[in-house]
Amino acid sequence: MRQHISAKRGAAQLQDGHAAAGIPSVCPQCGVAVTADMRFCGSCGFPLGTQGAQPAETTHIDVPPATAAYPPVPMPAPSSLQLDMQSGTQSDPQANDCKNRKKPIIIAIIVIIAVIALIAGFVVWKSTNRNSGDDSAQNADEQSNKTKQNDAAKQTKDCATTPDAGLESVEKNGTTMIATVAFSAHACGDTAWKGEDVTISIKDSSNEVIASAVYDFASDPMQFTSGTATLELAYAIGQYWRASDQIETKSTSMVVQKGATPNGNAVASVGDARGGANIADSDAERYAQLALSWQLSHDRSAVSGLYDIPTTQLFSRKYGMEVDGKTQQYRDIYAQYLTLRASWPKAVLAWAADYSYYTRYGHEADYYVLLSGEEFGSVADARAWCSDNGFGENDCMAVQIN
């Protein structure tokens, strides 16, 4: 059985759609939306023609009669899948809509990821800086600790720097001269100085040694505080060659020298003043001779003030003479001068040959005499003073120089 299906229905639809413009809007065959530039329906392949084309003529398609074994094949339902004839690509409007809906989500996700990345980067940077700061602080602490350890280590070590010294004051304690000395050694800090066999000398303005002894700080270190230390040093008879009241402290200088050879044992300390050992006899002899010459010059005016005034003579000494079984040397004579002057502060030293009282009978007068400096109304009074003060007749005599 043959059935005739007319295409007039499709033509009518084409005319109803865009009949006025001659442009179909839907496929006349399957009803799928089409565009003006399509020559065929993208769904069923129906020929659409071009813009301005006339409606297609009525055609007849012979379709076999429907039977139970061969039912009519239904046309496929309009598909969302279309063929873009110009681009030659396939597009799915629903997929495009889905993509369009996903774009904001994707962008939001990207923004979120970027923000998270920035936050993570900031956290890492902050952590790094903090760690760096912590490391810097730790390094600073370590450096500080090392400095403290080094300082502590220095405190436990002995200072190797020989200090400078300056005389602050001198005073007499019996026959001992006590010198207060200020030592300084910046490198010593707060450490101790353990100089062994150290000669500490005092010089006058003429650079002559007026005191010198050998001290040992090995067993009793000199403790510094901020590089300074003040000590009292005891100079015994034979270790100083100037009466303490005749030393001009401000015009003196001091020398500290290691590596000396002590001459005998150190003398006993006097109170807080530590004692030292003698220097070499040859040096002591030279300093004593210079001291006697200085004393004669210094005392000349005082001796002149005693002209024609009865006074007392306490000793007369000559280099090389025998006194009590001992041959006199310069250091012996000067030691006797210091000993007597410690008891009689007015005592003055004179060279006998300079005064007629000692040369008037033609006797040699190349010797030192020590005058007490006391003034009396008569020679008899002077003699009485000698006996009153325990002097023997060979140790004290009345004189009246002119």
Side-chain angles (χ1 to χ4, degrees):
M1 176 177 173
R2 299 179 61 88
Q3 183 178 3
H4 298 279
I5 301 176
S6 176
K8 289 184 178 181
R9 184 179 59 185
Q13 292 176 350
L14 179 61
Q15 291 176 355
D16 292 339
H18 291 171
I23 302 172
S25 60
V26 295
C27 176
Q29 177 68 27
C30 64
V32 174
V34 296
T35 60
D37 56 351
M38 289 184 177
R39 297 175 63 84
F40 302 96
C41 175
S43 177
C44 65
F46 185 85
L48 301 175
T50 60
Q51 185 175 356
Q54 296 297 322
E57 295 180 355
T58 302
T59 58
H60 294 275
I61 301 174
D62 293 332
V63 180
T67 62
Y70 299 97
V73 179
M75 296 301 293
S79 172
S80 62
L81 182 61
Q82 301 173 354
L83 176 62
D84 188 337
M85 300 304 294
Q86 286 186 341
S87 63
T89 60
Q90 294 180 341
S91 62
D92 188 346
Q94 295 180 356
N96 290 336
D97 292 340
C98 181
K99 289 180 180 179
N100 291 334
R101 288 194 299 270
K102 289 181 178 180
K103 283 182 179 179
I105 298 175
I106 293 173
I107 293 173
I109 293 173
I110 293 173
V111 171
I112 292 172
I113 293 174
V115 171
I116 293 174
L118 288 174
I119 294 174
F122 176 78
V123 171
V124 172
W125 174 81
K126 191 70 175 179
S127 177
T128 302
N129 286 347
R130 183 171 61 252
N131 291 337
S132 177
D134 293 342
D135 291 342
S136 299
Q138 183 177 0
N139 292 336
D141 291 341
E142 290 178 355
Q143 186 63 35
S144 177
N145 290 334
K146 287 181 180 180
T147 301
K148 291 179 180 179
Q149 290 174 359
N150 291 336
D151 291 342
K154 289 180 180 179
Q155 302 304 319
T156 60
K157 294 181 179 179
D158 300 334
C159 180
T161 302
T162 300
D164 296 324
L167 184 63
E168 291 192 341
S169 64
V170 291
E171 61 182 5
K172 183 186 70 169
N173 188 330
T175 58
T176 301
M177 184 179 75
I178 306 299
T180 301
V181 182
F183 295 92
S184 63
H186 179 72
C188 290
D190 295 333
T191 62
W193 186 62
K194 295 183 178 180
E196 185 176 5
D197 296 332
V198 181
T199 301
I200 301 179
S201 303
I202 303 173
K203 293 184 176 184
D204 66 6
S205 58
S206 299
N207 206 37
E208 292 184 2
V209 176
I210 57 177
S212 186
V214 180
Y215 297 89
D216 189 359
F217 299 96
S219 57
D220 188 6
M222 182 187 300
Q223 182 62 49
F224 282 91
T225 301
S226 299
T228 62
T230 301
L231 296 179
E232 290 184 346
L233 302 179
Y235 290 91
I237 292 289
Q239 297 176 344
Y240 69 101
W241 303 274
R242 185 72 53 85
S244 59
D245 61 337
Q246 296 174 350
I247 295 176
E248 297 180 2
T249 304
K250 293 182 180 180
S251 63
T252 61
S253 60
M254 296 194 70
V255 178
V256 180
Q257 188 173 8
K258 295 173 62 177
T261 300
N263 182 14
N265 297 325
V267 299
S269 297
V270 178
D272 294 332
R274 67 177 66 194
N278 291 340
I279 60 174
D281 287 342
S282 58
D283 291 333
E285 182 70 3
R286 182 172 72 256
Y287 300 150
Q289 183 180 10
L290 293 171
L292 287 169
S293 297
W294 183 89
Q295 202 68 50
L296 290 175
S297 177
H298 179 270
D299 292 350
R300 189 177 299 278
S301 60
V303 173
S304 299
L306 294 173
Y307 280 6
D308 296 327
I309 299 176
T311 187
T312 51
Q313 176 181 305
L314 303 182
F315 77 60
S316 61
R317 293 286 188 272
K318 182 178 180 178
Y319 179 82
M321 69 181 295
E322 293 286 334
V323 177
D324 297 331
K326 179 177 177 55
T327 301
Q328 296 293 290
Q329 297 183 2
Y330 292 118
R331 61 181 183 274
D332 299 317
I333 297 171
Y334 196 78
Q336 185 67 11
Y337 160 78
L338 288 175
T339 301
L340 291 171
R341 193 177 185 282
S343 299
W344 314 108
K346 294 180 181 180
V348 291
L349 191 68
W351 182 248
D354 292 338
Y355 304 97
S356 61
Y357 177 84
Y358 296 102
T359 60
R360 59 188 172 178
Y361 297 115
H363 298 294
E364 292 184 358
D366 53 345
Y367 51 86
Y368 301 95
V369 293
L370 181 64
L371 306 177
S372 67
E374 299 293 333
E375 299 179 7
F376 303 99
S378 65
V379 172
D381 291 338
R383 291 193 185 102
W385 182 89
C386 288
S387 59
D388 291 342
N389 286 280
F391 290 101
E393 59 182 30
N394 293 326
D395 297 324
C396 182
M397 57 180 291
V399 296
Q400 187 173 344
I401 61 176
N402 49 37

